[in-house]
Amino acid sequence: MSFSNGNRFNGKQLNVYYIDPLAPFFNRIIERRKLDLPKITFGFIEYLSAFVPNRASLIIVQNALDHSKSPLKGILECIESLEIEGVLYLRHFRNEAETEKYIGFHQYNISIENNDIIIWNKETKTNINYFLRDFAEIKTSTCGNEVIAVITKKQELTNGLIDCKKDIANLSYEYMGIIQKLNRVSFTFSYQWNYFKFRIIQLFMQQFSWKIRQNIKNIIKRISFTTKPRNKK
């Protein structure tokens, strides 16, 4: 979690909310290490408007949208949460799913084509500029391997683009699935074992420099990709 954006501008205090689905874990780290950092609020980008207390003037999504379950839904929720002329700032590494070989959360790519922001994977491709043409103004740019989009809200979203009843149903089913999974003995054992392995690896890796850790990480990725069989559709 990055706090690099700060909470003051031109000497004025800003009302900043940090929102992340892993908020309880980040907050635990902050408490354990007694860090002088603001607490993080729990929330999903796909349902952001339900977690934002007031209309925001600026929403920053950095290296997170391509990890979400539905990037397009996340963008719509951000637009819904903004005031008119509010800005959604997106900054992501180009085509992370391709880079990460579609492993884990990396299921979507973000790129720029003809100055339009594109979200795509092997099954879908969405031109965000075209999709939001009636509601927002979008400017795109790049910085090295990063893709940047500045989306300024011009109008409220059309009714029906965000279906609250469907959202409630989806969340309910996801919650039920999580509860069922957590109640399995096999899952509990697997989780504890994997956590133990993670802690051992983490302690081992901390003995090396950042550059060496990155090299080891890249080697592990390549090995995982070459040995892990693809699911047949």
Side-chain angles (χ1 to χ4, degrees):
M1 173 59 65
S2 173
F3 295 93
S4 60
N5 299 309
N7 58 3
R8 297 184 69 85
F9 181 73
N10 287 340
K12 295 182 179 180
Q13 184 73 26
L14 301 177
N15 191 14
V16 179
Y17 291 89
Y18 298 92
I19 299 177
D20 196 286
L22 297 178
F25 301 96
F26 288 125
N27 289 333
R28 191 181 305 168
I29 294 172
I30 291 173
E31 291 174 359
R32 284 181 178 177
R33 300 194 176 185
K34 298 180 180 180
L35 301 175
D36 185 20
L37 294 171
K39 291 295 181 67
I40 301 162
T41 302
F42 172 81
F44 294 97
I45 192 171
E46 295 90 345
Y47 311 101
L48 186 65
S49 61
F51 297 97
V52 176
N54 299 300
R55 289 295 180 97
S57 56
L58 172 65
I59 296 176
I60 298 174
V61 183
Q62 186 167 328
N63 193 31
L65 193 63
D66 48 359
H67 302 163
S68 65
K69 186 174 182 180
S70 176
L72 180 58
K73 178 68 162 58
I75 289 176
L76 287 175
E77 284 286 333
C78 288
I79 298 297
E80 177 69 14
S81 303
L82 286 170
E83 60 188 21
I84 298 297
E85 296 298 330
V87 172
L88 169 60
Y89 178 84
L90 305 177
R91 184 164 186 157
H92 295 79
F93 289 109
R94 187 194 310 271
N95 298 336
E96 271 287 87
E98 288 286 310
T99 301
E100 299 292 337
K101 311 301 182 184
Y102 295 90
I103 295 174
F105 289 118
H106 301 93
Q107 298 300 314
Y108 289 93
N109 300 290
I110 300 177
S111 60
I112 293 177
E113 296 180 9
N114 300 319
N115 295 321
D116 289 353
I117 191 80
I118 307 295
I119 296 180
W120 64 281
N121 59 19
K122 295 179 179 180
E123 286 78 35
T124 64
K125 183 176 183 179
T126 304
N127 185 315
I128 301 302
N129 290 62
Y130 181 79
F131 191 82
L132 295 178
R133 65 191 183 281
D134 295 330
F135 313 108
E137 177 184 282
I138 303 178
K139 296 180 180 179
T140 60
S141 61
T142 60
C143 181
N145 194 40
E146 291 181 297
V147 173
I148 300 170
V150 179
I151 304 175
T152 304
K153 180 176 179 178
K154 296 298 182 180
Q155 295 185 40
E156 297 293 346
L157 296 178
T158 302
N159 290 335
L161 280 178
I162 294 180
D163 189 340
C164 294
K165 290 184 178 180
K166 185 177 180 180
D167 287 346
I168 293 172
N170 288 339
L171 279 175
S172 298
Y173 283 121
E174 288 186 20
Y175 176 75
M176 182 173 63
I178 291 172
I179 294 300
Q180 290 175 336
K181 188 174 183 179
L182 291 176
N183 282 330
R184 295 174 188 163
V185 176
S186 59
F187 174 81
T188 302
F189 176 79
S190 175
Y191 173 82
Q192 295 297 336
W193 173 243
N194 287 329
Y195 179 75
F196 173 75
K197 290 191 296 183
F198 170 77
R199 291 295 295 165
I200 295 298
I201 293 172
Q202 188 179 47
L203 290 172
F204 174 74
M205 293 289 285
Q206 286 176 352
Q207 309 305 313
F208 300 101
S209 67
W210 181 86
K211 185 176 181 179
I212 293 176
R213 291 201 300 267
Q214 290 300 112
N215 289 335
I216 294 174
K217 180 181 177 182
N218 291 332
I219 292 172
I220 293 173
K221 283 182 183 178
R222 287 196 292 269
I223 293 174
S224 298
F225 176 64
T226 55
T227 59
K228 185 177 180 180
R230 289 282 183 178
N231 293 328
K232 294 183 179 180
K233 294 184 178 180

